[in-house]
Amino acid sequence: MKKKMLLLNTTVLLGLGGVLSTPTYASTIQDMESQKSQIQNQRQDVQSNIKAASDELTRLQAEQDQMKAQLERLTIAEEENNKKAQKTEADIKETSKQVEQLEKEIKLLQEKLEKRNDILKDRARSLQESGGNVEYLQVLLGSSSFGDFVDRALAVSTIVDADRGILKETKNMQDELKTKQADVKSKLASLEDMKAELDEMTVQLAAQKKQKDALAKELKDKEAKNEELKASLQAKDSSLANEQSTLEQNIKDQKAAEEAARKAAEQAAKEAAKKAAEQAQKAAAAPAEKADSSSAKAETPKASSNDAAPTSAPAPKASNVVTVGNRWIGNSAYVFGGGRSQSDISHGLFDCSSFVHWAYSQVGVNLGPLGSVSTETLKHAGTQVSSSQMQPGDLVFFDTYKKDGHVGIYVGGGKFIGAQSSTGVAIANMSSGYWKQKFNGRVVRI
């Protein structure tokens, strides 16, 4: 019987997976079954590589999504801090105007005091001429300045009521202006320090964004290459599948041809037997032989099972205030005044005091109204302890743009976790470097 011949073409893709053997001619079903087995093995290797490429794509896409979310946080943080910086700059200008106005008022007061000084001198002369109070005259003559005179004169009990009223009013005006001037200058200094910190923060956020943009591009390039690899592997698998299908069809055709030949031979044997029987019957010869028929066994290919999809383990639940904030490390950004709304918290936008408030709330401790929490409220929220007795969970304070301008949660080992202006939520070392210099020794135990 004439045999069918099958030509197998080899396919090489990206140098990955096995290479089909050089073209051979299959002369038997056994040969074709052997080649089919080889192709199935190659397909298993290729499909394993496709799965690995798919898994890597999933990982890269998850990392890309995480990077995108962090870039969005940094963009929001940059915008909010820029707004805060602009407002602070406007406050500085307004406060500077207040300082200038106070200086003008002080100058006017100085002029007014000079006039009052002349009035008091005239009264003193009149008092002297009329034989008045000598003690009053000594106060005036012994004073080194008009301010000194006012302080001395108020201490003299024999001053006439009219003079006492003038002196008291003058003293009150002096004290009020000095207090206002000190308050405004202190506010101005604090605003200028805050503006400097906000400017530095803006630079840091811009640097972080630049770094994240570069990483995002790198991830995108990796993703594109992996997509190309996966497509190549899928093309290879498709080619092998076609060859496998061709082989299976040829095996089927070969079996069909052999079965047809077997049946033809069987039919011929039957006809020969019948003819012989007829001849034997005529000749009263021996009984006819009976032919046995054999049945072909159908081979059923085994179905390949799909790999089960990986299940992600549930995120561990934070159990205490020292570790509860770890979930925000690398997934947050620092915003001056942030973290005081559910939207900010959901996006990981905190400042130092709102992060501390959030962390304690997660373990069931309320540190007061969220809207008004600050380093000032937190430093009075518990018991002051010595820095030598510091333990995990204590609040630690730092002098940054102002005294007690920054707060975090001590985690042990000379480190603390907090919302840092340069990194968002992070664990920082307070036993050396910048934070060691800024730590002011204040420790509060909640």
Side-chain angles (χ1 to χ4, degrees):
M1 182 176 63
K2 185 177 179 180
K3 309 290 183 179
K4 291 187 178 181
M5 312 299 289
L6 176 66
L7 176 64
L8 294 177
N9 295 320
T10 63
T11 306
V12 180
L13 294 173
L14 297 179
L16 295 173
V19 180
L20 289 173
S21 58
T22 54
T24 58
Y25 292 93
S27 58
T28 65
I29 289 178
Q30 185 177 0
D31 292 338
M32 288 188 285
E33 290 285 5
S34 175
Q35 290 177 355
K36 174 185 170 184
S37 178
Q38 291 176 11
I39 291 175
Q40 286 175 330
N41 290 337
Q42 285 185 325
R43 286 196 70 192
Q44 286 178 355
D45 290 340
V46 171
Q47 287 169 356
S48 176
N49 288 333
I50 289 173
K51 183 180 183 305
S54 296
D55 291 344
E56 179 63 8
L57 269 175
T58 300
R59 187 191 70 78
L60 288 170
Q61 287 166 356
E63 196 171 342
Q64 186 85 356
D65 291 342
Q66 186 178 11
M67 189 71 67
K68 182 180 177 182
Q70 181 65 0
L71 280 170
E72 289 175 354
R73 275 190 288 271
L74 291 172
T75 299
I76 293 171
E78 188 176 34
E79 290 173 353
E80 291 299 320
N81 287 323
N82 281 336
K83 290 178 185 176
K84 186 70 176 179
Q86 291 171 4
K87 183 179 183 305
T88 302
E89 193 169 347
D91 289 344
I92 288 173
K93 289 180 180 178
E94 180 62 30
T95 306
S96 297
K97 289 180 182 178
Q98 292 177 20
V99 172
E100 291 175 5
Q101 181 61 34
L102 281 173
E103 287 175 349
K104 290 179 181 178
E105 290 179 16
I106 290 171
K107 186 177 179 181
L108 289 174
L109 179 61
Q110 293 283 359
E111 295 173 357
K112 190 174 183 179
L113 291 176
E114 289 296 332
K115 294 177 180 179
R116 290 194 173 188
N117 190 17
D118 292 339
I119 293 171
L120 290 171
K121 284 180 180 179
D122 289 340
R123 290 191 180 186
R125 290 191 193 95
S126 298
L127 191 60
Q128 183 181 20
E129 290 171 0
S130 62
N133 191 313
V134 176
E135 187 180 5
Y136 188 22
L137 296 175
Q138 290 174 341
V139 167
L140 178 59
L141 297 174
S143 60
S144 59
S145 65
F146 185 66
D148 184 34
F149 165 70
V150 171
D151 292 333
R152 285 166 171 253
L154 286 172
V156 178
S157 60
T158 56
I159 301 173
V160 294
D161 290 340
D163 290 351
R164 183 181 295 278
I166 293 173
L167 290 169
K168 281 186 176 180
E169 184 182 357
T170 302
K171 176 66 173 174
N172 290 339
M173 290 175 68
Q174 281 183 317
D175 291 344
E176 184 180 356
L177 277 175
K178 284 180 181 178
T179 301
K180 282 185 179 179
Q181 190 177 37
D183 289 345
V184 172
K185 284 185 176 180
S186 175
K187 180 181 177 182
L188 180 61
S190 178
L191 286 169
E192 287 173 344
D193 288 343
M194 184 187 293
K195 178 65 167 55
E197 184 156 319
L198 284 165
D199 288 343
E200 177 63 23
M201 194 187 308
T202 300
V203 172
Q204 291 169 344
L205 285 168
Q208 285 184 59
K209 279 190 68 182
K210 186 176 181 181
Q211 183 182 18
K212 297 291 182 186
D213 282 334
L215 287 173
K217 184 180 183 303
E218 183 180 338
L219 282 173
K220 200 71 179 174
D221 291 343
K222 285 182 180 179
E223 196 174 313
K225 289 179 181 178
N226 214 60
E227 286 279 12
E228 184 180 349
L229 171 61
K230 183 179 177 181
S232 297
L233 288 168
Q234 287 172 332
K236 182 173 184 177
D237 184 60
S238 177
S239 176
L240 288 171
N242 289 336
E243 292 184 41
Q244 181 179 335
S245 177
T246 300
L247 265 177
E248 288 171 347
Q249 185 61 46
N250 277 280
I251 290 170
K252 183 179 179 181
D253 292 345
Q254 182 79 344
K255 285 183 177 180
E258 290 185 0
E259 178 68 10
R262 185 191 65 77
K263 287 182 178 179
E266 188 178 84
Q267 184 64 32
K270 285 182 178 179
E271 289 175 359
K274 183 179 179 181
K275 187 175 181 181
E278 289 175 351
Q279 291 176 351
Q281 191 176 25
K282 289 179 181 180
E289 296 177 357
K290 292 184 179 181
D292 295 327
S293 63
S294 59
S295 59
K297 295 182 179 180
E299 183 174 290
T300 305
K302 295 181 180 179
S304 61
S305 61
N306 293 325
D307 292 330
T311 56
S312 57
K317 185 176 180 181
S319 60
N320 58 63
V321 74
V322 173
T323 58
V324 72
N326 290 351
R327 59 172 286 197
W328 294 116
I329 295 176
N331 297 304
S332 59
Y334 186 97
V335 174
F336 229 111
R340 286 163 179 79
S341 68
Q342 189 54 51
S343 175
D344 278 1
I345 294 172
S346 298
H347 288 87
L349 304 176
F350 296 98
D351 65 10
C352 61
S353 52
S354 65
F355 171 74
V356 168
H357 187 285
W358 174 86
Y360 268 94
S361 72
Q362 299 305 294
V363 295
V365 178
N366 186 353
L367 295 181
L370 176 59
S372 58
V373 67
S374 67
T375 53
E376 288 297 311
T377 64
L378 290 176
K379 74 182 184 182
H380 300 297
T383 305
Q384 304 277 334
V385 298
S386 169
S387 59
S388 62
Q389 298 176 333
M390 193 161 46
Q391 63 185 33
D394 289 345
L395 304 189
V396 286
F397 291 79
F398 305 83
D399 293 343
T400 51
Y401 71 94
K402 67 174 184 177
K403 184 167 181 60
D404 298 316
H406 190 70
V407 63
I409 302 171
Y410 186 64
V411 299
K415 296 180 180 179
F416 76 99
I417 187 171
Q420 328 298 9
S421 62
S422 58
T423 58
V425 175
I427 294 175
N429 190 349
M430 59 183 287
S431 59
S432 64
Y434 175 82
W435 291 112
K436 180 180 180 180
Q437 295 173 2
K438 296 297 182 180
F439 179 51
N440 61 20
R442 186 188 298 280
V443 180
V444 175
R445 185 160 298 160
I446 302 300

